[in-house]
Amino acid sequence: MEPVVQFDNVNKSYGKHVAVDNLNLSIEGGKFVTLLGPSGCGKSTSLRMLGGFETPTSGRILLSGKDVTKVPPNKRNVNIVFQDYALFPHMSVAKNIAFGLELKGLDNQAIHRRVSELLELVQLQDYASRLPAELSGGQRQRVALMRALAPDPDVLLLDEPLSALDAKLRQQMQIELKAIQEKTGKTFMFVTHDQEEALTMSDTIVVMNKGRIEQMGDPHTLYGRPGSVFVANFIGETNLLRSTVVGTEGDVAALSWNGITITANPGGLSPRVGEYLYVVLRPEAIHCSAAEPTSGNRIKGKIRQRVFKGNHTSLMVEVGAGTLLNTLVHPSDVAQLNGEDIWVGWNPETATVIPDRHAHN
Amino acid sequence: MRTLLSDAPRASLTAFYWAFILYLLLPLTLMMAMSFKDANFVAFPIGEWTFDWYVKVMQDKQFLEACLYSIMIAAATTLAATTLGVWIAMLIVAEGIRGQVIIFALACLPAVVPGMISAISLRIFISTIDMPTGTAAIILGHTVHAVPFVVVMALTRLRSMPGNLVDAARDLGADSVVAFFRVTLPYLGPALLGGMIFCVLLSIDDFVRTFFLGGYRPTLPMLIFAKVQGGMSPEINAMATLVLVVTAAVGLYAEFLTRRARTR
């Protein structure tokens, strides 16, 4: 199937600052794709280039197979949901949603039908004649979404649309957004710096950093098998164990981490002895127990800090002089860990090994 | 603790305030009172009261014609000044245009140049380009004077406009012309209405520029000036009172509109 969106060697720089660095990306139709990264990573610039508000310094952007690199925003079949919604303050909800339809030249009856259909989708039928100023944040958000969906774009672009909402509403809107995407079957391209949002909604996450794609994949892969230190740190909480290779045998590598010997599966890497590697260990992959585990990696440690987080407790365990592991313990297991001395253990297969790019020893 | 001493500054401030109000309103009140005097000259005591002067003013063809002429000039001035003012304000907020500070300074200059200087230079200007004095020249002069006020009002509103409203319109299929008329202009709406009313008042009120640029047809201030030279009569007071009431009402309404626009 032909991709709906294609970035083909796209570069964008402002003077000496490179915002987007040789971006190659193709996005399949009907997917919820998230561009995730810290501010200034080039995600919003990429979105604005696709919307037509920025022109790439070089490279091409294809929309449903057509080169749109130099096409103005009003002639592209993409619509944006802006961060602050950008609803027209002097127009009613219905007028806002009808705006794009009127410009498409639809007749009044068709416009009316489409507007009521969309209002019904987000249960705002009773608000058709209200002004945006008379709506709550969540309602404005929905109107902005429907306004952008109304002209039936090839891709719907969402530029951090949830960042203005409070935490509770944001979670609710995440679920609603995903449901709307599934119901309409549209391609959504969502930009955010919030890894939780990305994990909740996306079919595909594109992690960007310094104008480049760090890693692209489904949420499970990105969380479970991060491809770089940046991704491991950016998505979820993590323990990064910088270790030296001591020896390898097949799928097992013996590593030395701050003097502690552990084993890991180097995956596709074939590390040499003496080389530095990172072992990515998620807090929930670590098992804390009073008794020594019978298999896998196991280290004796002391509990240095307990942080109660409601549905779990976070334990900081010191496993060597000044070396801490962040672990996650379920409420039912906390009770047996009343002493200071405990064992931490993990299955080597649950950890991911990443090469240390910066070490050239 | 409140003492008489600490209240003294406050009390004197209040007293000054009321003295100022009195100073402001006394001449106006006097003028209005005299318009009801049943005699041919302006002096105390008033004695008999009458509405005759108002009846006379309303039947005065000269007065009505001058009114009409002033309104016509005000309308033309407002149209020209608003168009120019909004255009200049758009230029100033537009991205990628150099010298926006200079454009702004130049646009505001006519508001601070003394009316007299402005009038003389305009007179010299129109005679240089062989433009006759009269309606067109008056409109030109009034427009130059009114543009800065529209620019400032439009600019204030434009600066508070979310930058991506126009982007949103473009995104939904509007070209820049459609985006301007359907989004930017309605957004400016209330501020613009206030600015337009201000233009009208500036134009109707203007004497100096009109005096230098006008032809034989008198505008309202010119007519009143001519009549005053012929001697004070309660008829002039009635005329002035009518003008005062109408312009004050319109001015207050404009202020109300811009205030609402600012808080919305």
Side-chain angles (χ1 to χ4, degrees), chain A residues 24-28 31-36 195 198-208 213-227 231 235:
Chain A
N24 281 291
L25 177 65
S26 35
I27 289 167
E28 271 176 65
K31 287 274 161 55
F32 197 118
V33 180
T34 300
L35 300 186
L36 174 68
Q195 46 102 13
L199 291 175
T200 316
M201 295 185 285
S202 318
D203 294 311
T204 306
I205 299 176
V206 181
V207 182
M208 291 188 73
I213 297 179
E214 278 278 335
Q215 193 178 359
M216 180 172 165
D218 64 277
H220 288 278
T221 310
L222 284 186
Y223 186 81
R225 299 284 172 221
V231 175
I235 299 180

Side-chain angles (χ1 to χ4, degrees), chain A residues 48 53 74 78-80 82 84 86-90 100 102-103 147, chain B residues 162 164-165 167-175 178 182-183 186-187:
Chain A
R48 287 182 66 80
F53 294 107
N74 50 323
V78 294
N79 290 129
I80 303 188
F82 289 90
D84 58 358
L87 292 174
F88 306 128
H90 56 285
E102 286 168 13
L103 289 166
R147 183 179 70 176
Chain B
N164 48 23
L165 278 190
D167 280 357
R170 300 270 288 142
D171 186 60
L172 291 163
D175 57 33
V178 173
R182 291 208 51 189
V183 175
Y187 187 85

Side-chain angles (χ1 to χ4, degrees), chain B residues 104-115 118 141 143-149 209:
Chain B
F104 180 67
L106 284 177
C108 289
L109 201 60
V112 289
V113 170
S118 164
T143 302
V144 169
H145 184 49
V147 160
F149 298 95
R209 290 173 187 79

